[in-house]
Amino acid sequence: MKLAVIPARGGSKRIPRKNIKPFRGKPAICWSIEAARASGLFDRIIVSTDDEEIAAVALQGGAEVPFVRPPELSNDFAGTTEVVAHAAEWVTEHWERPEAVCCIYATAPFVRPADLQAAWNILESGDWAYSFPVTDFGAPIFRSFKLDDQGAVEMFFPEHFTTRSQDLPQAYHDAGQFYWGRTQAWQDGLRIFAAHSRPLVIPRWRVQDIDTPEDWARAEILARLLDEAEPD
């Protein structure tokens, strides 16, 4: 059994009600549900939420909401791993133990069924605990800097001030879309960003994390551009 878990608590603050906020004509969470369904990979697609309205939207979108997420996993400090582990334990107790669980974020409208399949193939290709999409940074992180209390520039890695960009290692970051993982890995709380994980590299122009209103606006612009470049 392969399980998709979409975490969607009701208390988002930076973008209120962001999980069901309309994005390109439908609630944001519905894009994740539709991608999971279109992939044909999952025996069950469930939404883990503490919110009645989100649950209703998820059910309408074709997902299952078999339980109410407990309060201790619905606050600002609850981690993704703990939420997915809870869902996997509930499914194991009430249905059957999944062989793998894919956590798909509720506000990830650029998730593609083909990427879900490709990451699953990677997970199956060896003794991997997790597989998830990543992309490369647009600028060398080893030449990055911050501003100090006086507003002056301070390099994170001053030893690389004179290093040529082409001589620096390529750095990647999480695409913030989904994570395939073995059920035991989720339940053991294994760290996702570690040597037991193998990523799927996707292009930068298909990645936009959505945490702030500015992120949301940028995602809508990107979506329009992708629609124009890749018409149905």
Side-chain angles (χ1 to χ4, degrees):
M1 175 186 180
K2 293 190 282 295
L3 173 70
V5 176
I6 303 175
R9 70 185 183 92
S12 55
K13 293 182 174 60
R14 287 179 290 183
I15 305 177
R17 312 299 291 164
K18 77 170 186 174
N19 293 321
I20 53 175
K21 179 180 170 74
F23 186 91
R24 296 170 62 203
K26 67 184 73 173
I29 195 173
C30 289
W31 292 99
S32 297
I33 295 171
E34 288 180 9
R37 296 181 67 186
S39 74
L41 289 165
F42 302 105
D43 301 284
R44 300 269 190 169
I45 301 168
I46 68 172
V47 169
S48 171
T49 186
D50 59 331
D51 186 277
E52 290 184 4
E53 187 180 10
I54 292 175
V57 170
L59 289 168
Q60 284 187 326
E64 298 179 88
V65 188
F67 57 82
V68 176
R69 193 197 298 184
E72 63 270 21
L73 292 177
S74 301
N75 57 46
D76 292 341
F77 303 101
T80 296
T81 302
E82 292 82 5
V83 171
V84 176
H86 169 265
E89 288 164 6
W90 191 98
V91 168
T92 298
E93 181 179 349
H94 293 85
W95 296 336
E96 64 178 282
R97 182 172 175 79
E99 61 175 311
V101 183
C102 185
C103 169
I104 305 175
Y105 281 149
T107 49
F110 302 118
V111 169
R112 295 188 173 190
D115 290 342
L116 291 167
Q117 180 67 63
W120 166 249
N121 292 342
I122 290 172
L123 189 70
E124 286 283 88
S125 70
D127 189 24
W128 304 108
Y130 298 103
S131 181
F132 58 98
V134 305
T135 197
D136 60 325
F137 281 92
I141 64 168
F142 295 101
R143 301 197 66 203
S144 61
F145 52 83
K146 62 182 177 178
L147 303 184
D148 66 16
D149 293 340
Q150 304 301 315
V153 169
E154 181 181 349
M155 290 191 70
F156 284 103
F157 306 98
E159 66 273 21
H160 288 300
F161 175 72
T162 60
T163 306
R164 300 185 308 167
S165 296
Q166 59 265 42
D167 294 330
L168 293 169
Q170 182 65 63
Y172 297 86
H173 64 86
D174 175 17
Q177 295 181 355
F178 67 86
Y179 312 91
W180 271 108
R182 295 296 176 188
T183 301
Q184 196 62 51
W186 290 113
Q187 293 179 327
D188 289 346
L190 290 185
R191 182 177 297 177
I192 296 175
F193 304 156
H196 47 239
S197 299
R198 185 178 175 188
L200 168 70
V201 181
I202 63 176
R204 237 180 284 149
W205 49 266
R206 287 207 282 112
V207 174
Q208 177 57 56
D209 207 6
I210 303 179
D211 287 323
T212 67
E214 181 183 356
D215 293 339
W216 190 283
R218 187 181 293 111
E220 289 183 322
I221 293 169
L222 178 57
R224 287 197 297 271
L225 292 173
L226 288 175
D227 281 346
E228 293 171 6
E230 302 175 333
D232 293 336

